[in-house]
Amino acid sequence: KRALLVVDIQNDYFPGGLWPLCDMDAAADKAARVLEAARTAGDLVVHIRHEFTTTDAPFFKSESVGAQIHPKAQNLKDESSWC
C-alpha cells in the first residue's frame, strides 16, 4: 500500500499569513490534485503541520489560525494530522 505525506500546507505560508511564500496558492492547488488522486486510489494520507511552542514564535504560533492546514489541502476526518 502507498502513503501520501502532505507537509506544511499551512495558512501562515499564504498571503495574509505571518510567513508568506511565493506561489503557495499554486502549490496548494497541486497538493489538492495529488490528495484527490491518493484518496481515490485508497492510499493512506497523513498531514504534517508544524507549530512553535514558544510565545515569541515568528509564525506557526501554537493553536493559531496560521498554524492550521490550509482549506485547499484540509485533512478529512479519517486522515491523520500530526503536529
Side-chain angles (χ1 to χ4, degrees), residues 20-61:
L21 301 178
C22 293
D23 298 324
M24 276 305 293
D25 281 308
D29 289 339
K30 290 178 184 178
R33 288 193 297 274
V34 172
L35 272 164
E36 182 60 31
R39 290 168 175 156
T40 299
D43 295 336
L44 174 66
V45 176
V46 177
H47 298 260
I48 299 179
R49 62 186 188 86
H50 291 90
E51 283 189 12
F52 287 101
T53 57
T54 61
T55 57
D56 62 344
F59 59 102
F60 295 162
K61 296 179 181 191

Side-chain angles (χ1 to χ4, degrees), residues 6-25 28 47-51 58-61 63-75:
V6 183
V7 181
D8 288 356
I9 309 291
Q10 292 172 254
N11 292 325
D12 271 344
Y13 282 150
F14 288 81
L18 294 176
W19 204 268
L21 301 178
C22 293
D23 298 324
M24 276 305 293
D25 281 308
H47 298 260
I48 299 179
R49 62 186 188 86
H50 291 90
E51 283 189 12
F59 59 102
F60 295 162
K61 296 179 181 191
E63 300 184 29
S64 70
V65 171
Q68 298 304 309
I69 296 171
H70 190 272
K72 290 183 179 183
Q74 187 63 51
N75 58 303

